[in-house]
Amino acid sequence: MGEHNGKVIGVISIKGGVGKTTTVSNLGAAFAAEFGQKVLLVDANYSAPNLGLHLGIVEPDHSIHDVLNDKVPVQEAIIHHQFGFDVLAASLTQNHVKPFKLKSKLDPLKSEYDVILIDSSPNLNEEVLSTMIASDMLLVVSSPDYPTLSCTMHAVKVAKARNTPIAGLILNKTRNKKFELTTEEIEDATGTPVLAVVPDDIKILEALSQTTPASIYAPLQDACVQYKHLAACLIGTNYNDPRFLTKVKSLIWRNKTRDEVNRLLFKEGKLSSAPEPTSCKKE
Ligand SMILES: Nc1ncnc2c1ncn2[C@@H]1O[C@H](COP(=O)(O)OP(=O)(O)OP(=O)(O)O)[C@@H](O)[C@H]1O
Ligand SMILES: [Mg+2]
């Protein structure tokens, strides 16, 4: 029997390519490396899996497909990764699964982990529903354009209809352009707070080519610092940005951005519809 009391966090969007897998690998690395959490990353994108490929795992000996099809016990399919987290990777060659078994396979692992992150499929069918059902809370990934926003609104509606609490939105691939939708507009349209704003950053693609989470490959990039702030907020702690410029700016410019305010409110349990942060063992 483990001593942990893990929370299952599903990372969803019902549009492809917005950054779910990038979020899972970077948040996972931040939880493990920065905050000493015991973390499991799960690839629940059964028909087009790619979490393994982000992390240098090509075809695992035993996959989530084998687990969901009752071919192997879940423990046998877990890979202990050199980056400090565990991974339940998917097979690139199988796509037949019983997705609704995901919850019953992950629930017993909650006592073994502090955080279980699920990388979901973008397909609005039983694939993404299996993530919603297995999760204690959801992070919805979006980007600041109308087509993605409309998918994000839909994803939020489906999650609310299923009563899975939404922790908040991650606004990814922002370019700070006037034509982009603002954080406020996205919050208004979705009724959901933005917890992190992650800039579009070529280093994320460079890190992918090295099959390494960017938050390990280039830890002081703005994008990576955002993942660390988000990880901290989700476990109710703080991340101290060590960069000199940030320290100077925080002395002179005390106004907080909207996502910073939301993270503070989240930690205090004051964000409407947000679930309690998971507990943290290390500051
Ligand atoms: N902030 C970012 N800056 C630059 N590139 C990014 C950023 N976030 C993600 N990407 C890149 O965008 C591509 C799609 O990202 P990712 O695979 O994480 O999306 P996804 O939502 O998981 O896609 P799918 O729905 O197909 O599983 C990848 O090449 C990734 O490296
Ligand atoms: Mg993906």
Side-chain angles (χ1 to χ4, degrees):
M1 222 7 222
E3 73 220 34
H4 301 268
N5 180 20
K7 280 274 189 305
V8 180
I9 305 177
V11 178
I12 65 159
S13 75
I14 52 173
K15 187 169 190 305
V18 293
K20 296 175 291 299
T21 308
T22 303
T23 300
V24 166
S25 82
N26 281 289
L27 267 186
F31 278 128
E34 205 68 48
F35 301 107
Q37 300 281 291
K38 188 146 187 260
V39 186
L40 174 67
L41 311 186
V42 180
D43 195 341
N45 189 353
Y46 319 111
S47 55
N50 46 35
L51 179 63
L53 295 179
H54 278 237
L55 300 170
I57 301 165
V58 180
E59 184 68 6
D61 291 342
H62 300 298
S63 65
I64 185 140
H65 294 81
D66 296 327
V67 172
L68 296 178
N69 291 333
D70 294 318
K71 285 194 188 147
V72 293
V74 65
Q75 299 286 4
E76 275 184 38
I78 291 176
I79 297 166
H80 303 294
H81 201 285
Q82 54 163 333
F83 296 135
F85 44 66
D86 289 353
V87 185
L88 184 48
S91 164
L92 298 177
T93 55
Q94 307 175 45
N95 48 32
H96 249 76
V97 282
K98 299 170 193 151
F100 292 120
K101 286 205 166 181
L102 184 64
K103 182 175 168 56
S104 66
K105 299 291 180 182
L106 296 186
D107 275 352
L109 298 177
K110 288 185 184 186
S111 60
E112 308 289 329
Y113 291 94
D114 299 307
V115 185
I116 299 176
L117 283 170
I118 308 179
D119 180 16
S120 94
S121 158
N123 298 326
L124 184 53
N125 55 22
E126 51 185 33
E127 293 208 47
V128 72
L129 292 182
S130 77
T131 293
M132 289 186 185
I133 290 166
S135 299
D136 298 310
M137 63 171 110
L138 296 170
L139 289 168
V140 187
V141 187
S142 191
S143 51
D145 56 87
Y146 285 114
T148 309
L149 174 63
S150 86
C151 291
T152 304
M153 289 164 69
H154 201 161
V156 167
K157 197 171 157 191
V158 175
K160 284 191 173 161
R162 301 211 66 88
N163 289 325
T164 312
I166 300 171
L169 299 183
I170 298 169
L171 198 51
N172 190 28
K173 301 193 189 183
T174 61
R175 295 184 174 88
N176 210 9
K177 299 285 183 200
K178 282 211 177 79
F179 58 76
E180 288 180 347
L181 292 166
T182 63
T183 303
E184 288 78 1
E185 285 169 333
I186 290 168
E187 289 190 341
D188 280 353
T190 57
T192 310
V194 171
L195 287 180
V197 178
V198 181
D200 187 86
D201 185 344
I202 194 87
K203 281 280 178 201
I204 294 205
L205 290 166
E206 196 179 309
L208 179 61
S209 77
Q210 301 300 309
T211 60
T212 303
S215 56
I216 291 174
Y217 181 78
L220 296 181
Q221 291 295 108
D222 280 344
C224 303
V225 167
Q226 279 292 306
Y227 289 121
K228 293 177 197 180
H229 281 308
L230 177 59
C233 151
L234 291 168
I235 53 173
T237 189
N238 279 321
Y239 171 66
N240 290 319
D241 183 345
R243 296 173 301 174
F244 185 69
L245 184 59
T246 318
K247 289 184 177 163
V248 174
K249 272 198 215 159
S250 68
L251 274 180
I252 295 164
W253 182 258
R254 284 172 185 274
N255 287 355
K256 292 197 177 343
T257 56
R258 187 143 179 143
D259 54 304
E260 280 178 286
V261 172
N262 285 339
R263 287 194 295 268
L264 283 173
L265 292 172
F266 182 93
K267 279 191 280 187
E268 291 166 12
K270 289 183 187 157
L271 262 194
S272 60
S273 90
E276 287 281 293
T278 78
S279 61
C280 173
K281 58 181 181 203
K282 192 174 147 193
E283 180 83 14

